[in-house]
Amino acid sequence: MSHKEPAAENIVVAPCHPISRWWPKETVVIVTGANKGIGFALVKQLAKLGLTVVLTARSTIRGVEALESLKTEGLHVHFFGLDVSDPNSIQAFVSRFQEAFGVVDILETVVIVTGANKGIGFALVKQLAKLGLTVVLTARSTIRGVEALESLKTEGLHVHFFSLDVSDPNSIQAFVSRFQEAFGVVDILINNAAVSFNDINENSVKEAETVIRTNFYGPKMLTEALLPLFRRSSLAGRILNVSSRLGLLDKLKNPKIKEMLLDEENLCEEKIDWMVNLFLENVKNGTWKSQGWPQIWTDYAVSKLALNAYSKVLAKRYKGHGLSVNCFCPGFTQTSMTGGKGTHTASDVAEVIARLVLLPVEELPTGKFYVFGSNHVIYSKL
Ligand SMILES: NC(=O)c1ccc[n+]([C@@H]2O[C@H](COP(=O)([O-])OP(=O)(O)OC[C@H]3O[C@@H](n4cnc5c(N)ncnc54)[C@H](OP(=O)(O)O)[C@@H]3O)[C@@H](O)[C@H]2O)c1
């Protein structure tokens, strides 16, 4: 290789004092392409200085050989396979590295909140942004989403906006691919978006299909599409489905369906779909009032009943595999869903949700149903 010296005016001489230790004891250094050449020599040098060194190489055989040769010199370093030209290899390396060294900075924790242009979702985005997380605010209307973003900006809070209509599979697909391009990974998903078309004392099921599609199939489809992107580090990925007490099993009087939902061992997605389709059929043929479905906001309650059941199935699927799945009922909250009525505000709720989704991993449950209480949160089996 021909070698040309840079022009003199472009040369800055790097300081090169003898090394004296300034770094903390546990300083972790990653060196890529380190099975030979400069990378290998550097790993050796850093290991001699007592740093925690991660030697990476694209070939496992060559990487392990390098590791073994260092061992013969009494030097102990860590090895991980990493091909820097392959995005999948990078992602796999980052998650294995995180698992081994547990260095996840809260600032890099990526959280997605759906239906976040107003109400509880908006308050939650604000709370999480204040805590310094990387927050993705999503909303079905771009105008309302951008307005929310701008209003946060006036408070000095910077979040990311993506449009997402959870009732539309195309919108979900477009969101997931744009999100993947921008962030690659997600740590926390909060399925908050939902609709109800009833005033507080009404119980019409005219919009049952939209309610089920938005409140049950929406979070389910989004979750399934995002599952491969969960970082699942040693700190665990977290999914929180904002649900409602109206969808708890004690509101359901139909014995056959109750029995099916209580049989956790055999509960599966097909059975939940069957239940939802049965409800929609009952709505169509006008028999829904006599079939033992929940009696308050029936279509909404069935959508949350299905969401709770799906959360239970998902929690079981990922138990012990770095992903916790829980539901949360915010209680009677002053938002547009309740016509502004309620016993507490959206920001009271946001404060509690933030605490729950950021629980230390050893205190993080899965498959639970949290309920917002006046001065504490209780949780029970889903
Ligand atoms: N408020 C309560 O008392 C209460 C009680 C129990 C549970 N909850 C639950 O709490 C969550 C938040 O509700 P909230 O009280 O904050 O109600 P809200 O103020 O009406 O907010 C609902 C949010 O969901 C969005 N949304 C609706 N359909 C959507 C779709 N297809 N795609 C994307 N976003 C959509 C709305 O967007 P638009 O502005 O575009 O409509 C809005 O941002 C819901 O899951 C609700 O079921 C609320």
Side-chain angles (χ1 to χ4, degrees):
M1 190 167 53
S2 72
H3 177 74
K4 212 171 148 209
E5 287 293 340
E9 65 271 22
N10 291 335
I11 294 177
V12 178
V13 179
C16 226
H17 315 297
I19 296 169
S20 62
R21 185 171 189 130
W22 56 266
W23 54 89
K25 206 162 153 251
E26 300 278 303
T27 299
V28 182
V29 185
I30 300 169
V31 184
T32 64
N35 55 299
K36 64 180 178 189
I38 295 173
F40 180 70
L42 182 56
V43 164
K44 194 190 263 186
Q45 177 69 17
L46 294 168
K48 277 184 187 162
L49 291 168
L51 287 96
T52 300
V53 188
V54 178
L55 179 161
T56 74
R58 63 178 156 169
S59 147
T60 305
I61 294 177
R62 292 194 290 275
V64 171
E65 271 170 10
L67 198 76
E68 292 302 323
S69 108
L70 291 169
K71 245 191 219 160
T72 63
E73 298 188 45
L75 296 171
H76 293 275
V77 305
H78 306 262
F79 168 68
F80 290 87
L82 168 62
D83 180 341
V84 296
S85 70
D86 174 1
N88 292 332
S89 169
I90 293 179
Q91 202 178 325
F93 162 72
V94 171
S95 74
R96 282 200 313 271
F97 172 79
Q98 265 175 1
E99 225 162 86
F101 293 93
V103 278
V104 178
D105 189 336
I106 192 171
L107 292 174
E108 279 157 29
T109 297
V110 181
V111 50
I112 299 171
V113 185
T114 66
N117 55 295
K118 66 179 179 189
I120 293 169
F122 179 70
L124 181 58
V125 161
K126 192 190 264 189
Q127 179 72 14
L128 295 170
K130 278 186 188 159
L131 290 170
L133 284 93
T134 299
V135 187
V136 176
L137 179 162
T138 72
R140 61 176 156 175
S141 147
T142 304
I143 294 178
R144 291 193 290 274
V146 170
E147 271 169 13
L149 196 78
E150 293 300 324
S151 113
L152 291 171
K153 244 190 218 157
T154 62
E155 297 189 44
L157 297 171
H158 293 274
V159 303
H160 305 264
F161 169 67
F162 289 85
S163 69
L164 169 62
D165 180 340
V166 298
S167 69
D168 174 1
N170 292 330
S171 172
I172 291 181
Q173 206 181 321
F175 163 73
V176 172
S177 74
R178 285 198 313 272
F179 171 81
Q180 183 172 15
E181 226 166 83
F183 292 93
V185 290
V186 58
D187 299 286
I188 304 172
L189 167 64
I190 298 164
N191 282 309
N192 166 76
V195 282
S196 163
F197 293 89
N198 283 306
D199 281 340
I200 287 191
N201 292 317
E202 285 175 354
N203 194 21
S204 154
V205 291
K206 266 196 217 131
E207 302 289 346
E209 275 193 24
T210 306
V211 171
I212 297 284
R213 195 171 59 245
T214 310
N215 301 4
F216 168 53
Y217 285 112
K220 180 181 164 180
M221 282 188 296
L222 179 65
T223 300
E224 296 290 333
L226 284 171
L227 280 173
L229 303 188
F230 269 90
R231 197 182 329 235
R232 294 208 260 142
S233 69
S234 56
L235 296 182
R238 292 129 197 255
I239 296 174
L240 189 73
N241 292 325
V242 183
S243 187
S244 167
R245 261 185 280 217
L246 297 180
L248 283 181
L249 280 174
D250 62 348
K251 307 289 184 300
L252 181 71
K253 303 296 174 220
N254 181 313
K256 191 175 164 201
I257 298 175
K258 202 163 182 164
E259 192 187 328
M260 179 190 89
L261 294 174
L262 280 169
D263 179 8
E264 294 185 15
E265 201 54 43
N266 296 304
L267 187 60
C268 59
E269 289 174 41
E270 290 73 21
K271 288 185 180 176
I272 302 167
D273 288 346
W274 170 82
M275 173 185 80
V276 163
N277 287 330
L278 178 68
F279 170 67
L280 290 175
E281 236 172 71
N282 290 173
V283 167
K284 257 191 207 140
N285 62 29
T287 58
W288 62 278
K289 278 193 183 152
S290 59
Q291 304 297 316
W293 297 110
Q295 288 175 8
I296 300 173
W297 280 17
T298 302
D299 52 6
Y300 174 88
V302 172
S303 73
K304 299 293 191 181
L305 186 71
L307 181 62
N308 294 345
Y310 168 65
S311 307
K312 197 173 354 188
V313 170
L314 195 65
K316 193 170 137 204
R317 204 198 300 167
Y318 280 95
K319 194 161 183 157
H321 294 95
L323 190 62
S324 101
V325 184
N326 297 295
C327 287
F328 172 75
C329 173
F332 191 30
T333 314
Q334 296 152 13
T335 66
S336 62
M337 188 171 277
T338 58
K341 298 194 181 77
T343 52
H344 48 268
T345 66
S347 41
D348 295 334
V349 170
E351 197 266 321
V352 172
I353 296 183
R355 267 198 289 127
L356 294 177
V357 293
L358 296 173
L359 278 174
V361 72
E362 59 285 0
E363 291 172 35
L364 186 67
T366 191
K368 298 287 183 196
F369 188 94
Y370 299 111
V371 180
F372 179 93
S374 49
N375 47 24
H376 58 271
V377 172
I378 49 168
Y379 63 76
S380 64
K381 246 172 119 178
L382 252 175

